C-alpha cells in the first residue's frame, strides 16, 4: 500500500507540472493557433490523466478493502 501511495504521489506531481506547462504554453502562444492547440491538448491530457489516477486509486482501495 505504501508503494502505491508513493507512486500516485509522483504521478500527481507530474500531472501538476503538465497543467503548469499547458498554462505556460497558452500564455506564451501570442495568438499562434498551433501553440494554442498544443496547449489545449496538453491541458486536456493532463485532466484525463488526473481522472485516470483518481479512478485507479478508487479501484485499488476497493480491492484492498475487499482483501482485508
Amino acid at each position: 500500500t505504501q508503494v502505491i501511495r508513493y507512486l500516485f504521489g509522483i504521478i500527481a506531481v507530474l500531472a501538476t507540472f503538465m497543467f503548469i506547462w499547458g498554462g505556460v504554453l497558452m500564455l506564451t502562444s501570442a495568438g499562434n493557433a498551433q501553440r494554442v492547440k498544443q496547449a489545449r491538448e496538453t491541458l486536456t491530457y493532463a485532466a484525463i490523466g488526473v481522472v485516470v489516477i483518481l479512478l485507479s486509486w478508487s479501484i485499488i482501495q476497493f480491492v484492498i478493502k475487499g482483501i482485508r
Side-chain angles (χ1 to χ4, degrees), residues 30-53:
N32 183 344
Q34 182 64 28
R35 291 199 55 181
V36 170
K37 181 181 174 188
Q38 181 183 7
R40 284 186 182 158
E41 288 176 353
T42 301
L43 292 171
T44 301
Y45 293 142
I48 290 170
V50 168
V51 170
V52 169
I53 291 167

Side-chain angles (χ1 to χ4, degrees), residues 25-36:
L25 286 176
M26 185 72 74
L27 290 172
T28 60
S29 67
N32 183 344
Q34 182 64 28
R35 291 199 55 181
V36 170

Side-chain angles (χ1 to χ4, degrees), residues 7-18:
L7 289 175
F8 280 131
I10 291 172
I11 293 170
V13 169
L14 290 174
T16 302
F17 283 128
M18 291 305 294

